[in-house]
Amino acid sequence: MFEARHTMDAPTTTSADSGTLDDGNDSGSTGNSGGGWFTPRKPPTPAGTTPPATAAGAEDRARPDDRETPPRIAMPRRPVTAIRPVGSGADRIPQSPWPASAQPEPRPEPEPQSEAEAHPIPRPRSESRPEPRPEPQPEPKAEPRPEQGSPDAILVRRTLAEVAPVADKVTSYFYALLFVRHPELRSLFPAAMDAQRDRLLKALLTAAEHMDNPAVLTDYLRHLGRGHRKYGTQASHYPAVGEALIGALTRYATTTWDEESEAAWVRTYTTISQIMIDAAAENELTAPAWWHAEVVSHDLRTPDIAVVTVRPDQPYPFLAGQYTSLETPWWPRVWRHYSFASAPRPDGLLSFHVKAVPAGWVSNALVHHARPGDVLRLGPPAGSMTVDHSTDNGLLCLGGGTGIAPIKALVEDVAQHGERRAVEVFYGARSDHDLYDIDTMLRLQQAHPWLAVRTIVDDRAHRSLLLPDAVREYGPWDEFDAYLSGPVGMIRSGVDALRGIGIPSDRIRHDSLEELVAAAD
């Protein structure tokens, strides 16, 4: 347990979620029984209110790695770096950089010069040498711009910038501290954890980027809090995570870490955890932590793409364009994101388009092993790539590969609402063979005159246009909202292309790039 040097308001809302650990076991765990920085004390934030949002967030989704025994680690000592001295200039006279045994010998005093040598007679002008021209002085360097943001945000970002080059060491040390001090928490994580180490810092960077944007940050953290219920996370687990995080930063942020940075991180993590805990407690009143869903249909469209349809064990509310996290019985505690491939149906069935990727544990299990009768687990729905039914704007939809799944759901949603808004779909694929759902899209086009479907095949031999380039060839798109779904690279280039043709950023919707990276396997 670290010695407490800063007090903080710690998370207190206790979720009654049925996790894998009970409060009795957790409260008596090593290093957390005597109170500390993150010991809950503050009353819960009332429902419907938003806590302060000067925070950075951390997310820990699971992904495969080799099981390892936590290494023996040296406990960090604080402060790692001495506080910079203050006082008068005389108090800060720098010491000689030379060791005592290597001090440079003093130079001998010059011998006295004669009067003639000390005051030489000037030569005539004709014999005098030309005076050297003054060397040009370098232009003064522009002063760096002051850092933007609140004081805590500046300190947190400085720490993150310092540890970014050693992110793998920071996150490995974080989990080593967590599991050595609280071994009972290990069961909440997958057996293999290679990607888990990367995702911690990525989540921190994402939150740090929005620390001074309360609306964006709070929405991000509330989503994390609701999503962590499916892992069995309870309010009593957050103090252990906070202490391990501070310990890892103390060890590796050797330049920027001091008492002010430590206090800023304590305040930041307190805000983060309180928002997440409150969101989980609120969500617990209306939804389960996860749903069981039985596979009722498995349609193998290509050797590596399957359409999997499941029946959840209880009503599953969602919106067209959203996605969920999914766990298979073959890889417990390993979750991956998949978009819903249809709008909500009267029979309650849910469909997903899954492509098996190399070394993808969940995707290969769903494509090559799942069969009717198998039972999966679903997390809560998430995502904001949904149709705004309060406007008459058309829909410009770009779907690449299995990214056509949520685009199809958006088309069905517009049709269900009886709207006759123009919908333009660009369906991109690497080859004609990869247009596995083109028949469905063409049937929708035939049934709805307001829908146009264009296929874009990235085949250089046939000189076909790339998907973002093809969009520029059509239009104008002044009265359209844009939706993108597909590989991360396609979304990045697509957003650039859409901005280039004048569509403002607030009318461009796509899944979070961080979520897409996490779902890439």
Side-chain angles (χ1 to χ4, degrees):
M1 188 65 157
F2 299 117
E3 296 178 1
R5 226 181 8 235
H6 300 281
T7 59
M8 63 185 290
D9 293 328
T12 56
T13 306
T14 303
S15 170
D17 179 61
S18 56
T20 58
L21 302 177
D22 55 51
D23 291 339
N25 290 341
D26 183 70
S27 62
S29 60
T30 304
N32 196 30
S33 59
W37 288 343
F38 304 105
T39 303
R41 285 196 293 268
K42 186 165 70 68
T45 302
T49 62
T50 303
T54 306
E59 176 181 12
D60 51 355
R61 287 197 179 90
R63 202 184 138 185
D65 184 22
D66 297 327
R67 182 191 297 266
E68 297 180 358
T69 303
R72 293 177 62 86
I73 52 179
M75 293 304 176
R77 300 176 181 176
R78 294 196 311 276
V80 175
T81 55
I83 304 302
R84 183 173 300 172
V86 296
S88 65
D91 297 331
R92 299 196 298 272
I93 297 176
Q95 300 295 323
S96 170
W98 299 89
S101 60
Q103 289 285 351
E105 297 181 1
R107 296 182 179 179
E109 293 291 336
E111 296 181 1
Q113 296 175 317
S114 65
E115 185 69 17
E117 291 173 331
H119 303 283
I121 300 175
R123 296 181 180 182
R125 182 177 299 274
S126 60
E127 297 179 4
S128 61
R129 297 177 181 177
E131 296 182 1
R133 296 180 180 177
E135 296 182 0
Q137 297 296 326
E139 296 182 1
K141 296 182 179 179
E143 295 183 1
R145 295 181 179 178
E147 295 182 80
Q148 301 294 323
S150 64
D152 279 1
I154 291 173
L155 292 172
V156 166
R157 287 167 183 156
R158 286 177 183 173
T159 305
L160 291 173
E162 181 183 359
V163 301
V166 291
D168 55 340
K169 295 181 180 179
V170 175
T171 49
S172 295
Y173 190 77
F174 162 80
Y175 284 111
L177 276 179
L178 181 64
F179 296 151
V180 166
R181 293 178 174 181
H182 302 275
E184 73 280 1
L185 298 183
R186 185 63 181 88
S187 62
L188 299 181
F189 295 85
M193 293 185 58
D194 57 342
Q196 189 71 25
R197 299 185 178 120
D198 298 332
R199 288 174 186 166
L200 168 66
L201 195 68
K202 289 179 180 178
L204 283 174
L205 291 171
T206 300
E209 181 182 355
H210 301 292
M211 281 188 66
D212 291 324
N213 189 335
V216 173
L217 180 63
T218 301
D219 182 69
Y220 175 74
L221 294 176
R222 288 179 61 82
H223 164 63
L224 289 184
R226 291 189 295 267
H228 274 58
R229 291 186 60 213
K230 65 179 178 289
Y231 303 131
T233 304
Q234 300 179 15
S236 57
H237 299 157
Y238 284 86
V241 173
E243 291 176 4
L245 176 62
I246 296 295
L249 295 174
T250 301
R251 181 178 178 88
Y252 287 97
T254 57
T255 301
T256 58
W257 194 260
D258 55 21
E259 289 188 353
E260 290 186 24
S261 297
E262 183 178 292
W265 272 98
V266 169
R267 289 188 293 267
T268 293
Y269 183 79
T270 300
T271 304
I272 290 172
S273 53
Q274 190 69 62
I275 294 174
M276 293 178 65
I277 290 172
D278 287 348
E282 179 182 341
N283 180 252
E284 185 180 12
L285 300 176
T286 58
W290 62 77
W291 288 254
H292 288 102
E294 179 185 358
V295 177
V296 297
S297 173
H298 186 279
D299 181 11
L300 194 64
R301 297 287 182 88
T302 74
D304 59 353
I305 297 177
V307 176
V308 181
T309 303
V310 302
R311 178 185 292 110
D313 60 345
Q314 51 187 311
Y316 189 100
F318 73 98
L319 299 175
Q322 289 188 308
Y323 61 89
T324 186
S325 50
L326 189 153
E327 178 203 52
T328 72
W330 300 279
W331 301 110
R333 301 187 301 281
V334 179
W335 298 77
R336 294 293 179 264
H337 296 123
Y338 292 99
S339 295
F340 299 105
S342 64
R345 297 166 46 165
D347 57 11
L349 298 182
L350 310 173
S351 293
F352 307 97
H353 294 185
V354 184
K355 180 174 182 177
V357 298
W361 293 23
V362 174
S363 62
N364 277 281
L366 290 172
V367 173
H368 300 303
H369 298 286
R371 294 293 181 270
D374 292 332
V375 177
L376 314 176
R377 280 207 302 172
L378 305 178
S384 57
M385 197 183 74
T386 56
V387 177
D388 181 3
H389 292 287
S390 66
T391 177
D392 293 331
N393 287 349
L395 276 67
L396 170 60
C397 302
L398 282 66
T402 54
I404 197 63
I407 299 301
K408 183 171 78 73
L410 295 176
V411 172
E412 294 177 353
D413 187 38
V414 173
Q416 288 178 3
H417 280 76
E419 299 166 341
R420 299 183 61 84
R421 301 164 60 176
V423 179
E424 302 276 345
V425 174
F426 290 82
Y427 184 2
R430 295 188 179 277
S431 66
D432 292 334
H433 177 73
D434 292 326
L435 296 171
Y436 66 93
D437 210 31
I438 186 60
D439 290 342
T440 303
M441 298 305 300
L442 292 178
R443 284 196 296 270
L444 288 171
Q445 178 181 246
Q446 186 176 6
H448 305 293
W450 41 261
L451 172 64
V453 178
R454 299 180 177 89
T455 60
I456 308 298
V457 179
D458 183 8
D459 185 352
R460 302 299 177 89
H462 293 85
R463 298 182 181 179
S464 297
L465 294 172
L466 297 176
L467 187 54
D469 297 329
V471 175
R472 298 189 186 97
E473 298 296 315
Y474 295 88
W477 308 112
D478 299 336
E479 298 181 356
F480 281 76
D481 295 334
Y483 297 80
L484 299 90
S485 180
V488 175
M490 188 218 81
I491 290 182
R492 287 198 177 105
S493 60
V495 169
D496 291 342
L498 294 174
R499 288 174 177 168
I501 60 178
I503 299 181
S505 298
D506 60 352
R507 288 185 14 227
I508 301 175
R509 297 176 173 85
H510 58 81
D511 290 336
S512 163
L513 292 180
E514 290 79 12
E515 303 292 352
L516 292 169
V517 171
D521 62 341

